[in-house]
Amino acid sequence: MTDGTVRSFPPIVARLTQLLPLLPLERLISMAADRVAIHHPEFFDRLGDYADKSFVVVPTDLDWIARITFYDSRVQIRLSRSLEAFPNRDVTVTAPFLSLLNLLDGKEDGDALFFSRDLSVEGDTEAVLALRNALDDAEIDFVHECASIAGPLSRPFESGGKSLLEALRYSPFTRARKTEDADPMSSGMPGPYPT
């Protein structure tokens, strides 16, 4: 787990990501997602009836959003710069990018992020719970899966990727805010979240 500090990229990063074409990034993420689908078929079994849901992920400190769908034991990723591009979404998850990665890696507690208002969930909360449980059970190493598409360079890419993420989690480059002082009872709930 992290030290209870939510980190996000400074606004300059979002401005820089405006210059990046989304199609190459979408293809890269899709290639990694295909590897996850091949190596972790149990993920789809655990997701069950919620595999036909549409999940939209909104990193609050970047300039793109992702729609993730699961169909026929495959992961489909679509990127956009506008939430309006995905009008038929079942779930919308919003949080800083590093917090989303920490959730995937099991280094962040989703309940704590939710109560501190750094994570918001809208839509089908049962689907979010099913996705969360499926990810926890599958124990997917996302950095490893992403690095594996580099072939013979996968080991240095994996090592470098994990070192970079660890550095960003504690770097002064990312803006930090403590979360343990948040009092969900005094300010109300930001929205439904499965526990």
Side-chain angles (χ1 to χ4, degrees), residues 147-159:
S148 295
I149 63 179
L153 297 176
S154 60
R155 282 195 173 183
F157 268 85
E158 179 177 353
S159 176

Side-chain angles (χ1 to χ4, degrees), residues 124-194:
D124 188 340
T125 54
E126 289 185 3
V128 176
L129 181 58
L131 178 61
R132 176 182 174 183
N133 290 338
L135 287 169
D136 287 347
D137 290 349
E139 297 183 349
I140 301 167
D141 186 336
F142 288 94
V143 175
H144 171 76
E145 299 295 350
C146 290
S148 295
I149 63 179
L153 297 176
S154 60
R155 282 195 173 183
F157 268 85
E158 179 177 353
S159 176
K162 289 183 175 180
S163 296
L164 176 61
L165 279 179
E166 201 60 27
L168 285 173
R169 285 177 176 128
Y170 302 101
S171 169
F173 175 72
T174 54
R175 296 173 297 151
R177 182 175 68 77
K178 286 286 187 182
T179 62
E180 61 265 20
D181 294 332
D183 182 3
M185 302 308 291
S186 64
S187 55
M189 301 279 284
Y193 186 78

Side-chain angles (χ1 to χ4, degrees), residues 23-181:
L23 188 57
L25 179 61
E26 182 180 291
R27 287 184 177 170
L28 181 66
I29 297 172
S30 294
M31 289 172 65
D34 286 342
R35 289 190 60 85
V36 170
I38 292 169
H39 294 132
H40 297 275
E42 73 279 5
F43 167 81
F44 298 94
D45 294 335
R46 188 72 171 87
L47 196 54
D49 294 338
Y50 296 100
D52 63 348
K53 299 293 184 179
S54 173
F55 299 84
V56 171
V57 179
V58 183
T60 57
D61 48 356
L62 296 180
D63 188 54
W64 52 267
I65 61 176
R67 184 191 67 191
I68 307 169
T69 56
F70 309 94
Y71 178 73
D72 196 23
S73 296
R74 294 199 60 191
V75 184
Q76 298 175 337
I77 309 285
R78 294 293 177 264
L79 300 185
S80 177
R81 300 194 192 279
S82 170
L83 197 57
E84 295 174 0
F86 308 125
N88 298 320
R89 57 193 181 273
D90 295 296
V91 178
T92 304
V93 179
T94 305
F97 182 70
L98 287 175
S99 293
L100 292 167
L101 288 182
N102 287 341
L103 284 170
L104 289 177
D105 287 344
K107 295 181 180 297
E108 200 82 64
D109 178 46
D111 296 323
L113 282 174
F114 176 76
F115 287 127
S116 67
R117 295 180 175 269
D118 292 293
L119 170 74
S120 69
V121 176
E122 297 176 7
D124 188 340
T125 54
E126 289 185 3
V128 176
L129 181 58
L131 178 61
R132 176 182 174 183
N133 290 338
L135 287 169
D136 287 347
D137 290 349
E139 297 183 349
I140 301 167
D141 186 336
F142 288 94
V143 175
H144 171 76
E145 299 295 350
C146 290
S148 295
I149 63 179
L153 297 176
S154 60
R155 282 195 173 183
F157 268 85
E158 179 177 353
S159 176
K162 289 183 175 180
S163 296
L164 176 61
L165 279 179
E166 201 60 27
L168 285 173
R169 285 177 176 128
Y170 302 101
S171 169
F173 175 72
T174 54
R175 296 173 297 151
R177 182 175 68 77
K178 286 286 187 182
T179 62
E180 61 265 20
D181 294 332

